[in-house]
Amino acid sequence: MNLFPPQWLSHPYWLALTTPILATVLAAAVASYLPIANVSLIYLTAVLLTALHTHTTPAILCSLISFLTYNFFFMSPRFTLEMIHQEEILTVCFFLLIALVVGRIGGRLRQQMQLLHSNDKMLHHQLQLAQQLSSCLSQQAVLDCLCQHINQVLNVNCQHYPPDSLPPLEPAALSAFQSTAQHAQPCGAGASSFSQSPYLFFPVQGDSVISVLMLSAKTEASPFPPSTILIHTFVQQAEQALRQCALMNSLQQEKMNNEREMLRSALLSSVSHDLRTPLATMIGSVSTLQAFHQQLSVDDQQELLTAILEEAKRLNRYVQNLLDMTRLGHGELKLERDWVTIEDIINVTLKRSKPLLQHQYIHVTGVQPTPLLYVHPALIEQALFNVVENAIKFTPKDGVIELQTAQQEDTLLLSVIDEGPGIPEDEREQIFDMFYTVSRGDCKPPGTGLGLAISQSILRAHGGFIEVTASSAPNTGATFVFHIPLPTQQPIEEPVDGTDSDH
């Protein structure tokens, strides 16, 4: 049976009673071996220990008990409290003086140690909260993190509510909540106003009150209210995190607006040539028909009308591609997939690239037959055209651009190999960044730095990617490799005669 619970042992007056008893037992054990004056040092040690671990009053009590037991058991006449020698009075005065001095010093040291421990503990909690808040990117995440931290550290229930909400509370507590929201001052238990409330309400402020914290005791036995100083410290950290989130969101929004405007301008600039070319052909053909329709033969007129129709279709396709690429840049593009062969995409790209060739040649090689792709044909065509156009720009006259196809497991590889000056290794990742261009002096016309970025985005949207490597000969050309995922199943051909495919 445990007669002395652990909390008794930590009581200062219990220590003041037990240390003289232990000193008496020890003194009795060594009294026959030491002079009687040395025995008093054992009691003095008990007084010192009590003074260092408690405060002045228990130390004085310990010194009185130590003197009485020392006088009763060890000073003559023994087993009486009678004092017949002058040095006995000096001994009790010495014990009391030691108790006063050491008790006061020990009390101050203990208070300082407790203060240091408390500050260290608070600093640890602050660093822990700061680390958790550093990963919060929204106001809701910051408030949730703050409440969770308060719950863990202070062992209370903490919730947050918007200042204009009406939480399910009794009228008195609801008045305290509204007062906190309106005046940005703590209200409720432990505060100067509404102190009779079973809840403590604490404001979280920005330019105004952003949220109101509601704290309540977890159980009836839990200590409540908690330290408002610690809560105030945590709230200040959360308010700083909220300001940083607001600043980051503002900068991000500003960046998005700038990029949106740059993307709009760059897209219009990058396709201006493709838009003007069919328009010029259509205008010339219509002008010819209008001015010379009587002199032109029927075949010539039909040829001009066919050219107008083809260029109109081409212009319509460019406009649609432009809209698709714009939506792709904002994550709004819906891929309208269809079954197509890579040969069809290459053939359309070759037709679009023919007017750009200046005594360069394009050779197509690869495996035959290639499997069907399930992609957005117009977007893959645009991605390939952007890369081929880039290759034509940097390939010298009489140079050769090769298009090679190959299959690697469940991926179709389409390589575009040019004979240009190549791309430095440290720039092969950056060339796919928006508006980034490789510096070549003024030997080549400047580009918008958008074509390769759009091509990479298109391939990413299909689950693939584009990588660039060097050609086999150093500093001669670059190789762009399209990685296009193949569908897991190929389309099933329906019977031509209308009969069941199983027969």
Side-chain angles (χ1 to χ4, degrees):
M1 182 177 179
N2 188 5
L3 298 177
F4 306 102
Q7 58 267 26
W8 290 17
L9 298 177
S10 61
H11 198 281
Y13 292 99
W14 176 254
L15 185 62
L17 293 174
T18 56
T19 51
I21 297 174
L22 295 176
T24 301
V25 174
L26 181 60
V30 300
S32 59
Y33 303 101
L34 298 176
I36 193 65
N38 293 339
V39 174
S40 64
L41 297 178
I42 298 176
Y43 285 97
L44 184 58
T45 304
V47 175
L48 289 172
L49 291 176
T50 303
L52 288 174
H53 288 82
T54 60
H55 48 85
T56 305
T57 304
I60 293 176
L61 177 60
C62 179
S63 66
L64 290 174
I65 297 174
S66 297
F67 171 75
L68 292 175
T69 54
Y70 173 67
N71 185 32
F72 184 82
F73 289 104
F74 299 103
M75 296 183 66
S76 59
R78 300 180 66 181
F79 307 111
T80 66
L81 297 177
E82 183 180 357
M83 291 185 293
I84 61 175
H85 300 289
Q86 185 178 5
E87 61 269 14
E88 296 174 356
I89 300 175
L90 293 176
T91 301
V92 70
C93 292
F94 184 69
F95 275 12
L96 291 175
L97 179 62
I98 291 296
L100 287 172
V101 174
V102 178
R104 185 175 295 274
I105 295 175
R108 290 180 179 177
L109 289 175
R110 187 174 56 259
Q111 290 177 356
Q112 292 178 359
M113 290 297 295
Q114 290 175 350
L115 181 60
L116 289 174
H117 178 71
S118 177
N119 291 339
D120 182 69
K121 190 174 182 181
M122 180 180 292
L123 180 60
H124 171 73
H125 291 320
Q126 289 176 335
L127 291 175
Q128 187 178 19
L129 178 59
Q131 185 178 9
Q132 295 172 356
L133 291 174
S134 64
S135 60
C136 297
L137 303 178
S138 66
Q139 175 178 309
Q140 182 69 27
V142 170
L143 294 174
D144 290 342
C145 180
L146 173 62
C147 287
Q148 183 180 4
H149 189 74
I150 292 177
N151 289 342
Q152 294 175 352
V153 174
L154 302 180
N155 194 29
V156 296
N157 289 323
C158 180
Q159 296 175 309
H160 62 87
Y161 294 94
D164 55 351
S165 64
L166 294 175
L169 298 171
E170 59 271 15
L174 186 59
S175 299
F177 173 88
Q178 293 174 339
S179 177
T180 300
Q182 292 174 3
H183 302 99
Q185 294 294 331
C187 296
S192 58
S193 56
F194 298 93
S195 58
Q196 300 302 320
S197 172
Y199 305 99
L200 173 60
F201 300 98
F202 220 94
V204 180
Q205 303 180 64
D207 295 333
S208 60
V209 177
I210 298 174
S211 182
V212 176
L213 302 182
M214 185 180 75
L215 286 77
S216 60
K218 278 191 174 182
T219 62
E220 295 182 357
S222 300
F224 193 83
S227 171
T228 55
I229 297 178
L230 197 56
I231 297 175
H232 183 69
T233 302
F234 292 158
V235 168
Q236 283 184 326
Q237 288 184 265
E239 290 172 348
Q240 181 65 27
L242 288 172
R243 287 190 287 269
Q244 292 178 354
C245 286
L247 179 60
M248 290 176 58
N249 292 335
S250 177
L251 293 176
Q252 185 68 20
Q253 185 63 37
E254 184 68 21
K255 181 179 179 181
M256 290 178 61
N257 292 337
N258 292 337
E259 288 183 351
R260 185 180 294 111
E261 186 61 30
M262 293 174 65
L263 179 62
R264 184 182 296 110
S265 301
L267 282 173
L268 292 176
S269 176
S270 65
V271 299
S272 60
H273 177 270
D274 289 336
L275 292 177
R276 287 197 300 264
T277 300
L279 283 175
T281 302
M282 294 167 63
I283 292 172
S285 299
V286 171
S287 299
T288 302
L289 285 173
Q290 188 177 28
F292 304 105
H293 67 281
Q294 295 181 350
Q295 289 86 352
L296 295 175
S297 63
V298 176
D299 292 339
D300 292 336
Q301 294 180 15
Q302 187 63 36
E303 183 179 352
L304 290 175
L305 290 173
T306 301
I308 294 173
L309 179 61
E310 291 296 329
E311 293 301 324
K313 291 180 179 179
R314 178 183 176 190
L315 181 61
N316 179 69
R317 186 173 69 253
Y318 289 163
V319 172
Q320 185 60 47
N321 289 345
L322 175 60
L323 295 176
D324 288 344
M325 286 185 289
T326 304
R327 293 199 299 271
L328 181 66
H330 297 288
E332 302 173 358
L333 179 65
K334 180 180 179 181
L335 295 179
E336 298 181 359
R337 296 176 182 263
D338 196 4
W339 295 99
V340 65
T341 64
I342 192 63
E343 288 83 2
D344 293 336
I345 293 176
I346 292 176
N347 289 335
V348 175
T349 303
L350 293 178
K351 291 181 181 179
R352 291 181 59 184
S353 305
K354 184 177 294 186
L356 304 178
L357 295 174
Q358 298 178 351
H359 302 286
Q360 296 105 336
Y361 304 94
I362 300 179
H363 292 169
V364 180
T365 60
V367 296
Q368 295 292 339
T370 56
L372 288 175
L373 303 176
Y374 190 58
V375 296
H376 191 303
L379 288 182
I380 298 297
E381 173 198 329
Q382 182 65 41
L384 179 58
F385 176 77
N386 290 343
V387 175
V388 172
E389 182 184 27
N390 186 75
I392 293 174
K393 183 187 301 183
F394 292 100
T395 297
K397 290 184 178 181
D398 298 325
V400 177
I401 301 170
E402 294 188 15
L403 301 183
Q404 297 179 355
T405 58
Q407 183 175 348
Q408 187 180 66
E409 297 180 354
D410 56 351
T411 303
L412 179 68
L413 303 180
L414 173 59
S415 302
V416 180
I417 307 171
D418 62 47
E419 295 182 353
I423 300 174
E425 185 175 357
D426 57 346
E427 296 187 68
R428 291 173 190 169
E429 292 292 336
Q430 298 176 350
I431 61 172
F432 294 107
D433 294 339
M434 198 77 74
F435 309 111
Y436 182 85
T437 56
V438 178
S439 177
R440 296 297 183 193
D442 56 358
C443 60
K444 294 294 180 182
T448 61
L450 190 63
L452 296 180
I454 292 176
S455 297
Q456 185 71 283
S457 299
I458 291 174
L459 266 293
R460 294 288 186 190
H462 285 81
F465 63 95
I466 305 175
E467 65 174 344
V468 59
T469 61
S471 296
S472 56
N475 300 322
T476 56
T479 301
F480 289 81
V481 183
F482 288 65
H483 294 253
I484 307 175
L486 294 174
T488 55
Q489 295 181 350
Q490 294 292 311
I492 300 175
E493 297 183 359
E494 297 183 355
V496 178
D497 57 0
T499 59
D500 195 308
S501 59
D502 292 338
H503 293 78

